[in-house]
Amino acid sequence: MTKAFSAPGKALLAGGYLVLDPQYDAYVVALSSRMYAVIDSNGENLHLTNSKVIITSPQFQNGEWEYHFEKSADYKHPMETKKNGNPFLEATLATILSYTQPNSHFDLKITIFSDPGYHSQTNTSEKHSVNGKKTFLYHSQEINKVPKTGLGSSAGLVTVVTTALMSYFQPGSEDSLDLIHNLAQVAHCKAQNKIGSGFDVAAAVYGSIIYRRFQPSVVTDILDKLYADPHAAKLAIDGDWEFKHAKCALPPSIRLMMGDIQGGSETPKMVSKVLQWRSECPERAKKVYKSLNDANVGFTNVIGSLSQDSMNITKDQRRAISEAIQRIRQGLKELTAGADVPVEPPIQTTLLDNVSQINGCLGGVVPGAGGYDAVAVLVLAEYMDTIKESTKTSPELYNFVQWVDLHEEAEGLRKEDISDFNGLI
């Protein structure tokens, strides 16, 4: 049995910080950069005295993790035998094994791949599959030393490993997106030691969505029960989490461009400071959140009103989109000032202001939690090349932005053709 799965990266265009609160909607775009997991099994080797899972990431130095399980109690705390810890893999294994409670030995190998958009592309070499359908960059460093671009690599990793493991332990369950989502959210929260907003995992599973988060207490309750009372935890995982994940997609007349400035931000610290400010200055925060939510709803409505078939967009529609993006940016600037957090730092303001002046650009934001990771810009499809050329001609005006080779790919979790990986494993 060999199977392959992939999940997309994400960009949170509207909903930064508000996405943490279950009363607000967010607009999340799934991206063409995907994470992949290929799972292979030696079958139920009943002669084995223990079970084993080997996970490799051949694109990075020392990218191998090996887990042995002598008894079911080991499922709670997977121990890596090579002293090469990875909290996301360990949390995923613990969650899936505690949920499925396998009653026979297993011997599994999972190979992980990631598309180029997730990491810095310096000091890399290309490798291609035999049929040429997959091309990956191989890095000269270990994974934790290669800068990330903020597309949601950990959420994608947890999602595809969750799917791969479930396809083995409960064949057919990988087709249940809600189950995969719930398990991946639990594992991702366990790995991070916090209950995040979950939009990155949701996008990895469902693709481009209008998202409203689940109640954090749902995951807290599951994590409390997962090892003490696996049956109760299973019922909670299988239940209805009552969150929103309505499918959406940009119309063909509008394209998303992601720009990397080779920076980086500490998202958890930024989120913590914003939440602290909201607690300490509730009245001011309430006003900022309301204006920001109004802008987010306006953006979602105008994008949703556009035809999914037409390549044409009127001047009034252009203006409405640009104005909605400007209102989102204004709200984020107010958040920056109030919480003293660089949601839209001055250097990003200059970049976005200048890019927005180029003909065909509708505007852009610093997506997600903001900071220095990347910018997301919406442009008219026919002007993409013009915009790229303009920023290349005068790079100093645009903070030497590098446009990442990706686009919206609204599809979420999917099965891959295993033959596309021949020559890479």
Side-chain angles (χ1 to χ4, degrees):
M1 180 209 78
T2 305
K3 297 179 181 179
F5 304 92
S6 72
K10 51 70 186 173
L12 182 66
L13 289 190
Y17 293 96
L18 274 65
V19 72
L20 291 161
D21 192 321
Q23 66 178 303
Y24 299 114
D25 285 352
Y27 193 100
V28 193
V29 173
L31 302 172
S32 55
S33 275
R34 301 181 76 90
M35 298 287 295
Y36 304 84
V38 181
I39 185 169
D40 195 10
S41 166
N42 289 325
E44 295 183 357
N45 293 298
L46 300 179
H47 65 279
L48 293 176
T49 57
N50 63 12
S51 294
K52 180 171 63 174
V53 179
I54 296 176
I55 303 176
T56 64
S57 181
Q59 293 170 257
F60 300 92
Q61 297 297 312
N62 299 322
E64 182 169 312
W65 301 266
E66 186 168 328
Y67 300 88
H68 289 204
F69 305 91
E70 294 184 4
K71 50 189 179 299
S72 61
D74 295 341
Y75 299 161
K76 300 177 184 179
H77 305 289
M79 297 298 293
E80 207 282 321
T81 63
K82 297 178 180 292
K83 302 188 186 305
N84 191 16
N86 185 311
F88 293 99
L89 295 179
E90 285 145 27
T92 304
L93 283 169
T95 300
I96 302 308
L97 292 174
S98 296
Y99 177 85
T100 58
Q101 292 289 307
N103 54 19
S104 58
H105 291 302
F106 48 89
D107 185 359
L108 303 174
K109 180 180 179 182
I110 300 174
T111 308
I112 304 298
F113 294 99
S114 61
D115 279 333
Y118 284 99
H119 296 90
S120 168
Q121 299 180 21
T122 57
N123 298 317
T124 58
S125 58
E126 285 188 353
K127 287 192 179 181
H128 310 272
S129 61
V130 171
N131 63 12
K133 291 188 176 181
K134 296 287 185 242
T135 299
F136 298 114
L137 296 182
Y138 283 61
H139 299 259
S140 60
Q141 295 179 301
E142 296 180 5
I143 190 168
N144 58 1
K145 295 180 180 178
V146 179
K148 298 193 291 186
T149 56
L151 302 188
S153 57
S154 65
L157 172 68
V158 168
T159 299
V160 291
V161 173
T162 292
T163 308
L165 289 169
M166 289 301 292
S167 76
Y168 173 77
F169 290 113
Q170 289 189 5
S173 64
E174 68 272 21
D175 296 324
S176 174
L177 294 186
D178 289 349
L179 175 60
I180 295 298
H181 166 270
N182 295 0
L183 287 166
Q185 289 284 15
V186 171
H188 201 239
C189 290
K190 175 177 170 56
Q192 294 183 311
N193 291 314
K194 68 182 182 71
I195 312 301
S197 68
F199 80 88
D200 45 4
V201 170
V205 175
Y206 300 107
S208 293
I209 48 173
I210 298 170
Y211 174 76
R212 182 176 292 196
R213 76 170 301 182
F214 48 85
Q215 290 291 341
S217 58
V218 172
V219 176
T220 302
D221 183 54
I222 290 170
L223 288 172
D224 288 342
K225 294 175 178 175
L226 192 57
Y227 309 127
D229 189 353
H231 178 68
K234 179 178 171 61
L235 293 176
I237 289 170
D238 291 343
D240 183 1
W241 286 20
E242 298 182 351
F243 69 104
K244 181 177 181 179
H245 52 92
K247 293 293 290 181
C248 64
L250 297 172
S253 53
I254 297 175
R255 299 292 172 83
L256 174 73
M257 293 173 59
M258 294 292 294
D260 179 20
I261 63 165
Q262 298 185 14
S265 303
E266 295 185 84
T267 298
K269 288 184 179 180
M270 294 172 64
V271 170
S272 178
K273 287 192 68 174
V274 168
L275 294 178
Q276 181 181 350
W277 168 72
R278 190 184 184 190
S279 174
E280 294 173 351
C281 307
E283 289 305 314
R284 184 179 178 188
K286 184 178 180 180
K287 292 179 181 178
V288 173
Y289 270 53
K290 183 183 184 307
S291 64
L292 192 48
N293 182 57
D294 289 346
N296 292 339
V297 170
F299 172 83
T300 300
N301 287 343
V302 69
I303 292 293
S305 70
L306 301 177
S307 170
Q308 289 296 319
D309 302 320
S310 174
M311 283 296 294
N312 298 317
I313 178 171
T314 68
K315 287 185 179 180
D316 286 344
Q317 290 169 330
R318 290 192 201 183
R319 186 182 307 110
I321 295 169
S322 295
E323 289 175 355
I325 292 173
Q326 284 298 324
R327 288 196 297 273
I328 290 173
R329 287 185 60 196
Q330 182 57 41
L332 293 176
K333 288 176 183 177
E334 292 174 6
L335 204 61
T336 293
D340 191 25
V341 171
V343 182
E344 186 183 295
I347 196 168
Q348 298 283 55
T349 295
T350 301
L351 167 58
L352 290 173
D353 285 348
N354 289 343
V355 169
S356 297
Q357 297 302 312
I358 302 175
N359 191 28
C361 181
L362 300 172
V365 297
V366 188
Y372 300 91
D373 285 336
V375 293
V377 176
L378 294 184
V379 304
L380 298 178
E382 65 266 31
Y383 286 93
M384 282 188 66
D385 291 340
T386 301
I387 292 169
K388 289 179 180 179
E389 192 58 38
S390 296
T391 56
K392 189 185 300 182
T393 302
S394 303
E396 68 281 356
L397 297 178
Y398 307 99
N399 196 22
F400 298 90
V401 64
Q402 299 292 316
W403 299 109
V404 184
D405 184 19
L406 51 75
H407 53 274
E408 180 185 31
E409 192 171 88
E411 184 183 11
L413 187 66
R414 74 181 180 211
K415 296 177 182 177
E416 296 282 339
D417 187 338
I418 190 63
S419 66
D420 292 345
F421 298 87
N422 288 345
L424 294 169
I425 299 176

